Amino acid sequence: MTMMLKVDPLNPNEETMKKAAQVVKRGGVVVFPTETVYGMGANCFDVNAVLKIFQIKKRPTNNPLIVHICDFDQLQDLVVDSASRKTSVLKTFWPGPVTFIFKKKSAVPKEVTGGLETIAVRMPSHPVAQMLIELSETPIAAPSANLSGRPSPTREEHVVEDLYGLVDVIIESGETPLGIESTIVDMSRDTPVLLRPGAATVEDIRKTLPDIKIPEFVVASEMKPEKTLAPGMSYRHYAPRKPLVLVINRENLDTALKKYPDAVILCSLEDSQSFKDRHVITLGTLEQPFTIAQNLFHALRTVDNLPQRHAIALGFEPRGILFSVMNRLRKAASEII
Ligand code: TXA
Ligand code: MG
């Protein structure tokens, strides 16, 4: 049985939230909204609860989870080094959509980190996430609340579609405001490394971490990273259940349109004008690129629910948030031309 709890995203009812926190305390699995996407969480120090997450999600056990905290005291319980040395960097981005990787304390179960000696930590800014962590009185390990391989959930209906009946609680709180997962920065090495572009833009990260390295696999999805650096990045992600062609070189668009005469088109509002005789899913306007990120995962799920057998996505200039969007589109694509 899954308990459904509805709360206001900005001003969650504390009594309702206490019910969810009780479930975390007793070793259950709770789906909750964050500013990026919905997460499915459990007490990070409870090995059985953490293992349930992997089972429910059908996630490989070597793919580590992000641990969510509500204050800097909780960070001290998780990481060995650096927390104090790097506090000013962390304070620039937290609470918010950036995940940092540090060396972990031995008290953190290895199940959480997929056997790695490092741990990914994030302090979300969403009031519901913050209140859940606070009332649960423990950091919460949580991956995105989708079945492994499916697009991350940005709406209640996505969570219900994937996880109803499988988790103990679903906290419903409307659409997640940013709609794309957190940016992940590895701080456990000499120089910071970007492992996943996300809701915080690379340009923003660079203002505080000018020497950040951007590995090739972040830009080109064809590249597979070394397993221990970014275990999660070697899996195909966000994949719609039908073939998605990502057109990067516009000269190839006509070929794609001819090859897939029934294909649904995913593109910007500006481009949508050119496909009068097609089923078009408009992601948003180039003038407000954050809306494109916000709508992306819903669009990928919509593609699956339409009768057409193929989809064609038009690539974006990979700048700002659209750099992160292109990373996800590349991972979702079955073909890039
Ligand atoms: O916005 C987000 O980050 C959402 C919300 C719920 O917080 N969470 C999320 O979690 O996207 P998940 O599990 O779907 O993605 C976490 C990624 C995985 O690719 C995982 O491999 C990577 O973070 N990761 C976690 N711990 C790591 C570590 N110690 N070293 C390298 N990568 C790590
Ligand atoms: Mg995920």
Side-chain angles (χ1 to χ4, degrees):
M1 264 292 287
T2 299
M3 189 192 336
M4 303 293 290
L5 299 174
K6 220 174 186 66
V7 296
D8 185 280
L10 297 177
N11 189 16
N13 179 289
E14 194 167 328
E15 289 314 306
T16 311
M17 291 302 299
K18 275 184 184 158
K19 290 185 195 161
Q22 271 309 317
V23 173
V24 174
K25 286 184 175 181
R26 292 193 191 125
V29 175
V30 173
V31 173
F32 62 99
T34 79
E35 67 277 25
T36 57
V37 301
Y38 277 86
M40 58 185 293
N43 175 352
C44 80
F45 293 111
D46 183 335
V47 174
N48 286 329
V50 167
L51 287 175
K52 277 190 225 164
I53 292 179
F54 284 93
Q55 243 170 35
I56 294 170
K57 205 176 143 94
K58 300 200 172 70
R59 181 176 177 114
T61 51
N62 66 353
N63 190 3
L65 309 180
I66 295 175
V67 176
H68 298 69
I69 58 175
C70 64
D71 58 37
F72 281 88
D73 284 345
Q74 287 186 331
L75 184 65
Q76 304 306 326
D77 300 335
L78 303 173
V79 309
V80 178
D81 60 337
S82 64
S84 48
R85 272 188 292 127
K86 290 168 183 157
T87 307
S88 71
V89 172
L90 302 186
K91 284 195 168 148
T92 314
F93 296 105
W94 283 356
V98 183
T99 296
F100 290 105
I101 290 174
F102 300 106
K103 297 221 161 54
K104 82 172 187 75
K105 275 209 171 130
S106 56
V108 179
K110 63 182 187 330
E111 286 79 3
V112 172
T113 63
L116 297 179
E117 288 307 314
T118 54
I119 179 171
V121 187
R122 168 161 116 78
M123 190 188 291
S125 63
H126 197 296
V128 177
Q130 284 185 349
M131 193 183 272
L132 180 68
I133 302 164
E134 211 175 298
L135 294 173
S136 302
E137 298 176 71
T138 177
I140 293 184
S144 50
N146 52 282
L147 293 176
S148 214
R150 301 237 57 214
S152 291
T154 57
R155 301 183 179 196
E156 300 156 2
E157 72 231 43
H158 303 160
V159 173
V160 169
E161 183 176 64
D162 280 14
L163 298 177
Y164 187 80
L166 300 177
V167 293
D168 299 302
V169 175
I170 295 176
I171 304 177
E172 295 183 286
S173 194
E175 202 172 340
T176 53
L178 301 175
I180 191 163
E181 305 93 335
S182 62
T183 300
I184 304 183
V185 179
D186 187 349
M187 300 289 262
S188 72
R189 295 155 198 269
D190 295 339
T191 39
V193 183
L194 181 76
L195 295 187
R196 179 176 75 181
T201 66
V202 176
E203 289 84 344
D204 268 350
I205 303 274
R206 269 220 186 89
K207 283 183 205 147
T208 306
L209 296 170
D211 58 340
I212 190 163
K213 281 200 273 186
I214 303 187
E216 193 59 27
F217 70 81
V218 166
V219 183
S221 56
E222 309 74 70
M223 303 282 299
K224 292 281 180 261
E226 174 203 335
K227 266 254 165 163
T228 51
L229 178 61
M233 309 305 153
S234 25
Y235 299 104
R236 185 158 181 249
H237 270 69
Y238 321 111
R241 296 190 181 109
K242 53 186 77 164
L244 173 80
V245 182
L246 174 60
V247 178
I248 292 194
N249 183 346
R250 286 297 170 101
E251 286 172 11
N252 295 328
L253 179 58
D254 275 343
T255 317
L257 291 170
K258 281 198 189 98
K259 190 167 167 194
Y260 303 111
D262 81 321
V264 182
I265 314 287
L266 280 84
C267 62
S268 65
L269 177 68
E270 287 76 0
D271 274 329
S272 66
Q273 320 296 336
S274 2
F275 304 102
K276 297 272 183 251
D277 54 343
R278 293 272 180 161
H279 188 115
V280 176
I281 299 178
T282 302
L283 292 169
T285 164
L286 292 170
E287 282 171 21
Q288 288 167 334
F290 278 91
T291 60
I292 295 179
Q294 195 179 35
N295 293 325
L296 178 69
F297 290 139
H298 180 64
L300 291 178
R301 281 180 184 253
T302 305
V303 163
D304 281 336
N305 299 330
L306 289 170
Q308 288 84 349
R309 284 165 300 139
H310 301 91
I312 297 173
L314 269 64
F316 298 101
E317 193 70 42
R319 261 198 308 263
I321 193 64
L322 295 180
F323 178 74
S324 308
V325 167
M326 282 304 286
N327 171 278
R328 303 304 189 272
L329 278 174
R330 283 174 171 278
K331 282 176 186 289
S334 49
E335 191 184 343
I336 302 174
I337 57 174

